Amino acid sequence: MRLGGPVFGDTATPEKWVEGVRRHGYGAAYCPVDEKAPEDAVRAYETAAREANIVIAEVGAWSNPLDPDPAKAASALAQCKEKFALADRIGARCCVNISGSCGEPWDGPHADNLTQDTFDRIVAYVRDIVDTVKPLRTFYTLEPMPWMYPDSADSYLALLKAIDRERFGVHLDPANLLCSPQRYYGSGALIRECFEKLGPHIRSCHAKDIALSTRLTTHLDEVRAGLGGMDYRVFLRELDKMDGDMPLMLEHLSTPEDYHLAAEHIRGVAKAEGLVPL
């Protein structure tokens, strides 16, 4: 596995970007250019990554193809296709988005999100994305969420079967699935289930944590890795069984120091478990 995260500082050239990734001690990184980048720039960053042994983990397509406003939904779908094409151009392991919300906010809960009709809409638009882009090297993926599909290993399996496209894969963020006390205290079993059922399809993973408070009824907050209850020992052991280039990407932190502390926690767990140094 390869630990990665955002690169702070000047990344305006491939050389500076590689220097930044190395300075953070990462073996994986987020895509360093956007979909508007000219082909020569994409090729330059791809070559720099390969020569420096850096895996480009993912291109984020963060948008809402299920937006209740048809014009906004169409714009989001177009963005997903552009981001997916970029992922293929640069050789990223995947393009990742969430499936989207039937209401506001774009990444929030809605009464219609977990319905059969919405499941069918997700199947239809993901097929459209994959069939339009026709990627040769990368995969389109959906990050699990607590209040939209996929919301479990089984619902992800159902999407894989229904979408039925070779280039649709899995992005795993187990912290997003720890949405109840039962799942929180059973995080190790949930993580093992995800890898058992989805392992061959996983292209990239996110590294976060979840803390359960004592306030009624149930309050769960996203926190830095090591400050919550997610079983990182199980997570890292399962990741260690995957291919050696599997990315584990830090996200959603405020400062470079937060990312450093999160990385050090994960490296410490890996070392304690006798795993390959990250």
Side-chain angles (χ1 to χ4, degrees):
M1 82 191 93
R2 291 168 174 260
L3 187 63
V7 177
F8 294 91
D10 185 359
T11 60
T13 67
E15 295 75 20
K16 291 179 179 179
W17 175 69
V18 166
E19 180 183 342
V21 176
R22 287 175 167 167
R23 185 173 62 253
H24 288 78
Y26 295 151
Y30 292 107
C31 183
V33 297
D34 66 22
E35 67 276 12
K36 296 180 177 63
E39 196 63 25
D40 59 344
V42 173
R43 293 282 79 78
Y45 277 94
E46 180 188 7
T47 299
R50 182 174 61 252
E51 292 178 350
N53 192 26
I54 296 168
V55 169
I56 298 177
E58 57 194 63
V59 173
W62 311 116
S63 58
N64 186 12
L66 297 177
D67 197 292
D69 182 325
K72 291 180 180 178
S75 176
L77 186 64
Q79 177 177 315
C80 290
K81 293 174 181 178
E82 292 172 355
K83 298 286 189 178
F84 192 25
L86 170 62
D88 205 49
R89 289 165 61 202
I90 204 166
R93 284 179 61 100
C94 69
C95 176
V96 58
N97 196 5
I98 57 174
S99 62
S101 177
C102 296
E104 297 291 345
W106 75 281
D107 57 351
H110 188 274
D112 294 334
N113 284 359
L114 296 172
T115 63
Q116 184 62 49
D117 178 66
T118 298
F119 183 96
D120 294 341
R121 290 176 63 194
I122 295 166
V123 170
Y125 85 64
V126 171
R127 284 179 172 176
D128 182 23
I129 291 168
V130 175
D131 292 347
T132 299
V133 175
K134 297 181 175 63
L136 299 176
R137 303 193 289 174
T138 194
F139 293 76
Y140 193 78
T141 62
L142 295 174
E143 181 177 347
M145 290 286 282
W147 43 55
M148 61 184 62
Y149 292 123
D151 65 337
S152 65
D154 285 339
S155 65
Y156 218 137
L157 278 177
L159 282 169
L160 285 164
K161 181 178 180 180
I163 290 168
D164 191 26
R165 295 295 186 271
E166 181 182 357
R167 290 290 167 171
F168 175 60
V170 170
H171 189 287
L172 183 60
D173 188 334
N176 287 352
L177 296 177
L178 304 186
C179 54
S180 70
Q182 293 80 5
R183 286 186 173 188
Y184 178 84
Y185 287 115
S187 66
L190 181 145
I191 291 166
R192 281 190 289 267
E193 179 190 13
C194 287
F195 279 92
E196 177 184 348
K197 294 180 176 179
L198 305 173
H201 304 283
I202 297 173
R203 302 298 300 162
S204 187
C205 300
H206 281 167
K208 309 186 297 213
D209 213 333
I210 296 292
L212 174 65
S213 79
T214 57
R215 291 179 295 151
L216 289 174
T217 57
T218 300
H219 291 268
L220 293 151
D221 292 295
E222 185 179 291
V223 294
R224 190 181 77 222
L227 298 183
M230 195 166 82
D231 195 333
Y232 262 92
R233 294 175 303 169
V234 171
F235 194 13
L236 297 182
R237 285 200 300 266
E238 293 297 323
L239 280 167
D240 192 58
K241 300 173 186 176
M242 309 296 287
D243 71 83
D245 286 336
M246 180 64 68
L248 178 61
M249 305 301 293
L250 300 164
E251 64 161 0
H252 291 182
L253 299 174
S254 301
T255 67
E257 178 62 15
D258 286 331
Y259 279 101
H260 172 73
L261 292 171
E264 288 306 295
H265 171 74
I266 291 170
R267 289 174 178 135
V269 175
K271 182 177 180 181
E273 294 296 307
L275 305 178
V276 176
L278 294 169

